[in-house]
Amino acid sequence: MWLLDYFSVPLPFIYLFLSLSIFWCIKYIFKSVKHLCSLPPGPFGFPIFGYYPFLKEHSYIQFDRLSKKYGPVFSLKLGQYDTIVVCDWDNLKDAFANDALLARPAKGFLSGIEETLSVIAMSGDAWREHRRLSLHVLRNVGLGKREMETLISEEIHQFLSSLETNVNDLPQHLMPSVSNNISALLFGRIFDYDDPDKMIIDQSVQGFSESFQFTGITSFLPWLTKPLIALGKANLKIISKTHKHLNNFITKEVLKHQNKANSKEIEDYIDGYLDAQSKRKDDLFNDMILRRNVISFFVAGSETVTSTLTWTLMYLVKYPQYQEKIRSEIQEVIGTEKRPDFSDRLRMPFTQAFLYEVQRIESVVAINLIRRASQDTKIGPYNVPKDSLVFFNFWSVHHEPKLWPNPDKFDPNRFLTDNGTKVIKPPYLVPFSAGKRACPGEGLANVELFLYTVGILQRFKIKSDKPLSFDAKFGLTRRPKYKPDLIFEKISSQY
């Protein structure tokens, strides 16, 4: 029996209902088709989930392959979000200059785990004010100054003695030293390598970096985050746990700074932020955002340099002729007794070229932190609707044959001119992004990469008695999948 038999519904109302339903469906389909036609071409996905179920660990490689099929700028649905991916330099350069592409996803990168946004995840005026304050404070406490270089040099001096035994987990060995450099800016102090609290947060940085991806569930399917944490799936329990360790440590550090007795001296980032916070009458600057900022700076400042240095030392082992060439530059420019200065790089073109090539070929930050279009805009000829998410695929740009002949070959000489006497960094080498949302720590990272590499080669010959794998694992950054087992053979007794 038909359900309508139980009701007395006049036929005109039924016809009206059916007509309206059909009209709504046609309108919805027309609107959806029109919307799809306004986007760059791209692959289809499933309802609700979009293309997300097809994403693999190395999403930047998938994006690169999709660009070969659909064009250098293509679109796909990830969860509920229209997502635009940029894979070539011409359009990427255009996107860098587009102020409509400076926003971040509205819910940040850790939705379901941490709802407070850091300066890295903010948009609009809140981002501008926090960015301005962060750069001001960090510069005042040493970022970009000679004093910071001296501190890094002293840290390296302490670190080198730890390399006189075989190192079978290089990232874990590097992390406590590298993270001390950013610790000096954030906390106003450095830590002993065996400090139990510091060991926990260094391990947390590594655990978070291995497990978290910007193309992960927290960015595109945030409503699944808490159920999957409860089920222990998708590494979300690890991400949540490591984030909690970091937050607990930073909370204690902030409390120590707040309890400083009658001290108004600004010695580090936390001091500077608290000082600015005390002078404002609004809640734009608060303790929760401070903690998130410190966590973001600490993780970014530790992980990217550690991963890049790990790749650098591996390539020095793979190409011993390059290792000797850099050591020859060290001997000629610095010698064996003097500690290296960052200014020495100006007379060491091959060393700089080698570091550039590591950054290019490994592209530690393979894709950018997700952008969001704050209004309807374009990237080149392609439409980008408001609130679309945007990825810049640095991996594609760094492996584009038109820009880099034979891009899969490791060749530092591609950056050298004038018979190897001058090094050139082309604008399409963008390991730290570019434009107004470029990494603010690029200068610090470059100082660290140069001083660590030169300091190590000045004292040690690096080798391995086991084959090295250059397979990568992709989390927050691209890092070696297998931890290299390296031998540091002392060659001099300077310092």
Side-chain angles (χ1 to χ4, degrees), residues 211 217 224-241:
S211 304
I217 284 172
L224 276 176
T225 300
K226 290 182 179 178
L228 290 176
I229 289 175
L231 294 171
K233 301 296 184 180
N235 289 330
L236 291 176
K237 186 171 284 189
I238 297 174
I239 294 170
S240 180
K241 182 179 179 181

Side-chain angles (χ1 to χ4, degrees), residues 186-475:
L186 299 176
F187 313 127
R189 63 192 178 103
I190 61 174
F191 300 81
D192 293 333
Y193 297 158
D194 58 356
D195 182 294
D197 289 334
K198 180 64 160 34
M199 291 173 69
I200 289 174
I201 63 165
D202 284 338
Q203 291 167 5
S204 295
V205 170
Q206 292 196 68
F208 180 85
S209 300
E210 290 177 355
S211 304
F212 175 78
Q213 288 191 343
F214 288 107
T215 53
I217 284 172
T218 58
S219 294
F220 294 104
L221 300 168
W223 52 275
L224 276 176
T225 300
K226 290 182 179 178
L228 290 176
I229 289 175
L231 294 171
K233 301 296 184 180
N235 289 330
L236 291 176
K237 186 171 284 189
I238 297 174
I239 294 170
S240 180
K241 182 179 179 181
T242 55
H243 185 269
K244 184 177 180 181
H245 285 320
L246 288 164
N247 192 62
N248 289 342
F249 177 84
I250 302 304
T251 299
K252 292 177 185 177
E253 286 294 319
V254 171
L255 185 61
K256 288 177 184 177
H257 284 68
Q258 290 172 329
N259 292 337
K260 283 183 178 179
N262 301 321
S263 175
K264 293 185 178 181
E265 185 177 357
I266 296 176
E267 299 177 339
D268 52 53
Y269 178 77
I270 296 177
D271 282 340
Y273 191 99
L274 291 173
D275 180 66
Q277 183 182 341
S278 69
K279 295 175 180 177
R280 295 185 67 100
K281 296 181 180 180
D282 56 49
D283 195 41
L284 182 61
F285 293 84
N286 60 62
D287 290 353
M288 294 179 67
I289 295 175
L290 170 58
R291 292 197 297 270
R292 289 294 299 123
N293 285 354
V294 174
I295 290 173
S296 297
F297 290 145
F298 186 82
V299 172
S302 303
E303 169 60 21
T304 52
V305 175
T306 297
S307 294
T308 306
L309 275 173
T310 301
W311 287 117
T312 299
L313 298 181
M314 290 173 63
Y315 277 102
L316 288 169
V317 172
K318 184 175 183 179
Y319 297 100
Q321 70 274 26
Y322 294 155
Q323 183 177 160
E324 290 306 316
K325 192 167 183 177
I326 293 174
R327 194 172 286 112
S328 295
E329 277 193 337
I330 294 172
Q331 179 69 34
E332 180 180 344
V333 174
I334 304 172
T336 59
E337 302 299 324
K338 185 180 84 72
R339 294 186 190 180
D341 293 326
F342 188 51
S343 60
D344 292 328
R345 76 192 188 285
L346 301 175
R347 295 183 292 158
M348 301 176 67
F350 186 80
T351 302
Q352 275 296 105
F354 185 92
L355 293 173
Y356 287 157
E357 181 67 345
V358 173
Q359 292 175 322
R360 181 200 69 82
I361 199 167
E362 290 304 336
S363 296
V364 167
V365 181
I367 51 178
N368 68 308
L369 281 65
I370 311 171
R371 303 282 187 97
R372 174 174 60 86
S374 57
Q375 62 187 52
D376 289 346
T377 188
K378 284 180 174 289
I379 297 177
Y382 302 95
N383 292 323
V384 180
K386 181 181 178 181
D387 289 327
S388 297
L389 302 185
V390 182
F391 276 117
F392 302 155
N393 194 354
F394 301 140
W395 175 270
S396 291
V397 173
H398 290 164
H399 291 79
E400 170 54 57
K402 294 178 182 177
L403 301 175
W404 314 95
N406 199 2
D408 295 330
K409 179 183 179 182
F410 184 85
D411 183 13
N413 294 295
R414 68 175 81 244
F415 294 98
L416 296 173
T417 61
D418 297 345
N419 295 320
T421 61
K422 186 177 180 181
V423 62
I424 298 293
K425 180 186 177 183
Y428 39 85
L429 178 67
V430 285
F432 299 95
S433 189
K436 294 179 181 179
R437 293 215 78 146
C439 175
E442 178 176 0
L444 175 63
N446 285 330
V447 172
E448 292 179 279
L449 292 173
F450 180 81
L451 293 183
Y452 272 90
T453 301
V454 173
I456 290 170
L457 289 181
Q458 192 179 40
R459 179 180 284 193
F460 297 100
K461 182 175 182 179
I462 316 169
K463 56 186 181 180
S464 178
D465 55 8
K466 299 177 181 178
L468 295 181
S469 170
F470 284 78
D471 291 342
K473 178 179 178 64
F474 186 51

Side-chain angles (χ1 to χ4, degrees), residues 41-72:
F44 289 100
F46 294 121
I48 301 176
F49 297 97
Y51 194 79
Y52 188 83
F54 299 107
L55 279 190
K56 299 176 183 177
E57 177 186 346
H58 297 279
S59 52
Y60 55 95
I61 293 178
Q62 275 184 282
F63 291 160
D64 185 67
R65 290 172 179 165
L66 287 171
S67 74
K68 303 296 190 292
K69 181 176 181 180
Y70 295 104

Side-chain angles (χ1 to χ4, degrees), residues 14-43:
I14 296 176
Y15 294 148
L16 177 62
F17 174 76
L18 291 175
S19 298
L20 290 173
S21 297
I22 293 170
F23 174 77
W24 183 87
C25 289
I26 293 173
K27 183 179 178 181
Y28 176 80
I29 292 170
F30 177 79
K31 186 177 178 181
S32 298
V33 171
K34 182 179 179 181
H35 176 71
L36 285 174
C37 291
S38 72
L39 293 169

Side-chain angles (χ1 to χ4, degrees), residues 138 141-143 148 181-188 267-269 444:
L138 289 171
V141 299
L143 183 66
M148 188 65 199
N181 300 320
I182 192 66
S183 294
L185 289 173
L186 299 176
F187 313 127
E267 299 177 339
D268 52 53
Y269 178 77
L444 175 63

